[in-house]
Amino acid sequence: MKARDEAEFTEFAAITIRRLRRTAYLMCGDWHRAEDAAQDALVKVYRHWNRINRTDSLIGYAHRCVVTAVLDQSRKPWRRERLDDTGEDLRPLPDAVGSVDDRLLVIEALHHLSPSQRACVVLRHYADLSLEQTADILGISVGGVKSQTSRGLGRLREVLLDQTERSAS
């Protein structure tokens, strides 16, 4: 790789790593797995840097790589166990405002969605990507993105309503 390309990639990686890590975290709920997925995505971007058309959505390609990395990780047998399955209560103490609690409830609720629904909801509503960008990243039609997002949001409403009812009683 040329020195100029190396510098461009380094700048791109520094700018996007946090965004990719947060997207991966919302998909998998584990910061360690999210870090691995973001790094795997950047490795793939690096390997294809000379072939990537940078006039198109470079961040879209990186998002596609991170989504694929998260989904690939979840298929590996040693990754199927989650830390909270140990029976230990790992929740932090509630904060005065409750924003951390709300965030944790949403992240926990995301795990009740199928991987495709979770990917659509995260990419559309967290990463703020368009229908077309999300469809391109996931390799599905725009209609598929619409239906998966709609079903995912409906399921999120059900889960969050159930969680708030349980906590109120």
Side-chain angles (χ1 to χ4, degrees):
M1 184 180 280
K2 297 176 186 172
R4 189 178 119 239
D5 288 341
E6 189 84 33
E8 284 178 8
F9 174 78
T10 303
E11 181 181 348
F12 171 77
I15 291 170
T16 59
I17 186 70
R18 291 185 68 204
R19 184 175 180 182
L20 294 175
R21 190 182 313 122
R22 277 187 251 143
T23 299
Y25 175 72
L26 288 173
M27 291 186 62
C28 69
D30 180 342
W31 282 111
H32 299 291
R33 283 183 56 205
E35 180 71 31
D36 290 346
Q39 288 178 6
D40 290 347
L42 286 176
V43 166
K44 188 170 184 180
V45 170
Y46 180 81
R47 278 189 280 150
H48 297 100
W49 188 257
N50 293 328
R51 292 180 281 182
I52 297 172
N53 183 355
R54 293 188 201 99
T55 59
D56 290 340
S57 178
L58 184 57
I59 192 69
Y61 180 74
H63 269 102
R64 180 181 309 129
C65 292
V66 82
V67 167
T68 302
V70 170
L71 295 176
D72 287 348
Q73 285 177 351
S74 67
R75 292 183 190 115
K76 296 180 180 175
W78 63 85
R79 295 288 191 177
R80 290 188 189 136
E81 292 182 25
R82 290 189 27 213
L83 291 176
D84 58 345
D85 291 341
T86 61
E88 297 178 28
D89 189 13
L90 299 177
R91 292 186 182 177
L93 297 174
D95 67 330
V97 182
S99 62
V100 173
D101 292 337
D102 292 344
R103 193 173 327 135
L104 291 174
L105 284 175
V106 171
I107 290 169
E108 185 178 323
L110 283 170
H111 289 290
H112 292 277
L113 304 180
S114 71
S116 60
Q117 290 173 351
R118 189 176 329 133
C120 286
V121 168
V122 168
L123 291 174
R124 288 282 294 129
H125 296 285
Y126 171 74
D128 202 28
L129 299 179
S130 70
L131 288 168
E132 293 78 15
Q133 289 170 319
T134 303
D136 184 49
I137 288 169
L138 297 176
I140 61 176
S141 69
V142 171
V145 171
K146 288 179 182 179
S147 67
Q148 291 295 320
T149 303
S150 176
R151 288 184 192 137
L153 291 173
R155 180 71 179 129
L156 273 178
R157 276 187 218 99
E158 291 172 10
V159 170
L160 290 170
L161 182 62
D162 184 47
Q163 287 175 342
T164 55
E165 287 175 354
R166 272 190 274 135
S167 66
S169 49

